[in-house]
Amino acid sequence: MAFDALPSGVRLLPELITEEQESALVAALDDGVWEDGARDDGHRSQQFGWWRPQLLAQSGQPDRFLGALPDWAAPLVSRLHVLAPFDYAPDHLVVRELVPGASPQLRKGEGRTVATLALLNDLPVRFRKREGSGDWHLSQPRRSLLVLTERFDRSWDRTILPTGLPEGGQPHVTVAGHPAGLPSGRLLTLTFRRVSES
């Protein structure tokens, strides 16, 4: 499957940012405060904006507002409002850092437009249809933006493919035609959503 044959509701924008812009984003993130995720998940994160409704109940927090999106994200937000089908500018950002050996959890679609930028390495993603059968993989190139529409996000769940394979297992074949799995180096993802209704 070629990139121009992606399923309906999925858009991939290569080279969204330059290497210099990527380096500046990584430096800004490393100046921020990281929170450790679940041990089995194997990632750290930073979150900004509004809590997603399904996580608010889990957090036990009375307030849905985590704080304004950082200044370094403003140029990206402005571009996303044009490049992705957001009715309003994104108001939630979660940054994840993944390292080799991580086993990220399956993330259920929420029926929202989602835009993810991959930094430092390619991002191997597996999509699974929520009802019926359907399964496909994508190796999202470094510095590219992956956009999922509301309709697609409502019907498909996704997870980042871990490194390693079960004994006797075969490598997943990705859209790019290469074996999938987390890269050997550091990988950062920036995922934008619109959470509030207006």
Side-chain angles (χ1 to χ4, degrees):
M1 182 186 296
F3 285 136
D4 58 3
L6 291 172
S8 176
V10 179
R11 186 180 183 192
L12 184 65
L13 304 174
E15 299 290 339
L16 183 78
I17 59 174
T18 65
E19 290 187 17
E20 292 76 14
Q21 291 170 325
E22 178 187 48
S23 296
L25 285 173
V26 172
L29 288 167
D30 284 339
D31 283 340
V33 178
W34 292 95
E35 295 183 2
D36 291 329
R39 180 174 299 179
D40 293 341
D41 218 10
H43 76 267
R44 299 190 301 168
S45 66
Q46 298 181 33
Q47 293 199 61
F48 308 93
W50 293 89
W51 274 100
R52 291 150 59 194
Q54 31 295 67
L55 298 183
L56 183 62
Q58 300 174 19
S59 72
Q61 300 294 324
D63 193 348
R64 292 180 59 212
F65 191 60
L66 295 166
L69 269 61
D71 291 341
W72 53 258
L76 287 173
V77 170
S78 296
R79 294 186 68 187
L80 290 178
H81 198 187
V82 175
L83 296 172
F86 288 105
D87 292 332
Y88 300 93
D91 60 4
H92 176 266
L93 165 62
V94 57
V95 181
R96 291 188 177 90
E97 176 196 55
L98 295 114
V99 295
S103 297
Q105 300 172 358
L106 182 72
R107 304 192 183 280
K108 292 187 177 297
E110 304 168 8
R112 300 178 185 275
T113 298
V114 179
T116 297
L117 177 65
L119 301 181
L120 299 180
N121 268 296
D122 293 354
L123 173 63
V125 189
R126 177 184 182 182
F127 294 89
R128 181 180 300 170
K129 198 168 183 62
R130 185 168 301 172
E131 297 181 3
S133 60
D135 188 288
W136 63 283
H137 309 103
L138 168 68
S139 183
Q140 179 185 346
R142 175 182 176 181
R143 298 195 306 279
S144 70
L145 183 75
L146 181 67
V147 180
L148 311 177
T149 64
E150 292 181 12
R151 183 174 181 180
F152 181 90
D153 192 52
R154 192 178 297 117
S155 303
W156 292 80
D157 299 327
R158 62 192 179 278
T159 187
I160 298 172
L161 291 170
T163 51
L165 293 166
E167 186 174 352
Q170 297 297 317
H172 297 286
V173 176
T174 70
V175 174
H178 302 293
L182 281 173
S184 58
R186 188 184 187 196
L187 167 66
L188 299 178
T189 65
L190 283 67
T191 299
F192 295 84
R193 294 176 178 84
R194 178 75 187 189
V195 174
S196 59
E197 299 301 325
S198 61

